[in-house]
Amino acid sequence: MSAALQVSLKPALKREPAFCALQVLDSQGPRVCIGGGRGADDLAIPVKPDALSLFGPRGASLMGAAGPLWISDTGHHRLLGWARMPAGDGVPADWVIGQPDFSREGRNAKSEPTAATLNVPTGTTPCGAGFAVADAWNHRVLIWRELPQQHNVPADLVLGQQDFSSNESNRGAAAPTAQSLFWPYGVHWDGSRLWVSDSGNRRVLMWQGLPQHNGQPADLVLGQANFTCRDENGGGEPNASSMRWPHAVTLWHGKLCVTDAGNNRIMVWDWLPTADNTPCDWLLGQRDFRLVDHNQSLYWPGSGTLHMPYGVAAAGDWCIAADTANSRLIAWHKDDSGNGVAARALTGQSEFNAKGDNGWQQPTRMSLSWPYGISVCAGMAVIADSGNNRVLLWPLSPELAPELVP
């Protein structure tokens, strides 16, 4: 190997000095584990659907401190619901939506789409008195105005399509509109507005207030110059307005946060945008608006880097990211701001410079493999640990937010 080549490789192997990070989640581990491996070696394997199994879940939410709990069982194309937060492992779901019963699977229940079928459900969020689900491959968002309390309760409202029987991307047109969706993966209700990560159109849409009718047009678009554009990074170089693969949205102390997984960053607006295509104010995960490489072009992650962050949630003073391809959770305090600022807290790896699914070991109760989604309710984090085919209910660390820990 030439001396020049050796020099060129050094930046890719650089590691920052290790130090003791705060824990994002309680060091005692999850309170509840739903799903997981069914093999003798406890590896995550595709499993037959039943009232306890999960296959690549990508979203889950507690609707209140005591429940209900709803999980997007993505690979089985269904939602599983528990009337109350499970008290431990092995508590079967009470309800299923999207399949005739707990033992069936298949896109749209192997039939045509209806108000009670699903095709790759992903993000979930409490929404008004009910909840909303991103039904990604039906190119729609489903909204229940009240929380379901039995099997296969049909949704009350659909966004992205004119009716419940339609499911073409962008309603069959080449260009999007304010009424259409293409692979929506994330949903967030902030109490006054509904936010949707319209991933395939590389944009985020906002509805002011709870939508009232099917196919209602969005009121605001971020990531594109207008509602009819869908170019990657707005058709140009990455900048403070552009998006490549937006996935999740949250509000954090009045700041809007969007995970732009394709650009390996989280976009942060210090104030809620009121105009289309408003540029963000700063980034987590990158040091410059033009930079997009995972882990900032280094092999090892660091305290300020990201690799395909799909999930984000606010917990008191903290913003927690599901740093998916680094198989970890990291968190920033409200006093942290500025491009590429270092995170203070970590769960899923031994140090900020470590990575690997389950730490490159066999799965354990406290390891993570491609955590895809995260939500927080009353101090309880709900993690869609997708690579391990499970959802973890895991209290926040007392170090992080003692006032929130249940």
Side-chain angles (χ1 to χ4, degrees):
M1 183 182 293
S2 69
L5 182 56
Q6 287 177 331
V7 170
S8 71
L9 286 176
K10 284 182 179 179
L13 299 174
K14 182 180 177 182
R15 292 168 68 98
E16 65 183 19
F19 67 95
C20 184
L22 296 174
Q23 290 293 307
V24 178
L25 304 178
D26 188 8
S27 60
Q28 299 300 307
R31 186 170 297 177
V32 179
C33 176
I34 300 170
R38 296 289 182 93
D41 56 3
D42 205 35
L43 290 173
I45 57 174
V47 292
K48 290 183 178 180
D50 58 34
L52 274 171
S53 68
L54 299 172
F55 186 16
R58 292 191 172 187
S61 297
L62 276 168
M63 304 298 153
L69 169 70
W70 282 96
I71 294 175
S72 284
D73 186 13
T74 308
H76 289 143
H77 307 287
R78 65 182 187 175
L79 304 174
L80 292 182
W82 284 256
R84 298 186 61 81
M85 184 176 73
D89 301 354
V91 178
D94 296 298
W95 309 303
V96 62
I97 293 177
Q99 301 295 339
D101 54 54
F102 288 118
S103 66
R104 311 281 190 95
E105 60 183 330
R107 297 177 182 180
N108 291 313
K110 298 183 179 179
S111 186
E112 299 300 315
T114 72
T117 70
L118 298 152
N119 186 358
V120 188
T122 54
T124 65
T125 184
C127 187
F131 79 117
V133 173
D135 187 15
W137 285 17
N138 278 327
H139 309 290
R140 65 186 187 178
V141 169
L142 298 176
I143 298 175
W144 286 259
R145 293 195 176 99
E146 302 289 337
L147 291 175
Q149 298 186 43
Q150 55 186 333
H151 297 303
N152 281 316
V153 175
D156 298 295
L157 193 123
V158 61
L159 299 176
Q161 304 291 349
Q162 62 184 358
D163 54 44
F164 291 108
S165 62
S166 303
N167 71 342
E168 288 188 278
S169 60
N170 287 327
R171 298 194 181 192
T177 68
Q179 298 165 296
S180 71
L181 294 169
F182 194 146
W183 291 341
Y185 280 105
V187 286
H188 178 69
W189 170 251
D190 68 15
S192 301
R193 294 158 289 266
L194 180 67
W195 302 86
V196 174
S197 292
D198 187 16
S199 304
N201 284 323
R202 305 167 184 96
R203 65 184 186 176
V204 166
L205 300 178
M206 184 272 282
W207 283 259
Q208 188 70 49
L210 190 65
Q212 297 299 307
H213 59 82
N214 290 345
Q216 182 172 323
D219 298 300
L220 182 84
V221 60
L222 299 175
Q224 300 291 347
N226 54 54
F227 286 109
T228 61
C229 296
R230 62 179 303 265
D231 293 323
E232 183 175 296
N233 282 314
E237 296 299 315
N239 57 48
S241 300
S242 72
M243 298 176 184
R244 184 164 177 243
W245 202 240
H247 259 75
V249 180
T250 198
L251 261 62
W252 171 42
H253 275 282
K255 301 177 177 67
L256 177 69
C257 302
V258 173
T259 61
D260 182 13
N263 285 326
N264 300 292
R265 65 188 189 178
I266 297 174
M267 305 172 73
V268 184
W269 288 258
D270 285 328
W271 310 99
L272 292 183
T274 57
D276 292 344
N277 207 34
T278 300
C280 70
D281 295 292
W282 47 283
L283 302 170
L284 297 170
Q286 301 289 356
R287 294 173 179 164
D288 188 281
F289 293 113
R290 299 166 297 172
L291 303 177
V292 298
D293 288 341
H294 68 266
N295 291 328
Q296 296 179 9
S297 301
L298 301 177
Y299 177 78
W300 300 104
S303 58
T305 75
L306 294 166
H307 189 182
M308 295 175 68
Y310 283 125
V312 67
D317 291 341
W318 297 83
C319 175
I320 305 173
D323 188 14
T324 307
N326 283 324
S327 290
R328 66 181 187 174
L329 306 178
I330 58 175
W332 295 264
H333 189 265
K334 68 175 182 178
D335 294 335
D336 303 329
S337 64
N339 289 348
V341 64
R344 302 191 194 188
L346 170 73
T347 285
Q349 300 292 348
S350 59
E351 60 178 356
F352 280 121
N353 291 134
K355 66 176 184 177
D357 304 345
N358 296 308
W360 281 317
Q361 303 292 324
Q362 295 295 320
T364 70
R365 191 174 180 86
M366 296 179 66
S367 69
L368 297 171
S369 175
W370 281 67
Y372 196 100
I374 181 169
S375 62
V376 176
C377 178
M380 184 67 71
V382 185
I383 303 120
D385 189 19
S386 187
N388 285 323
N389 289 335
R390 65 188 184 184
V391 165
L392 303 173
L393 277 61
W394 198 335
L396 296 176
S397 165
E399 300 174 300
L400 202 71
E403 74 281 3
L404 293 177
V405 174

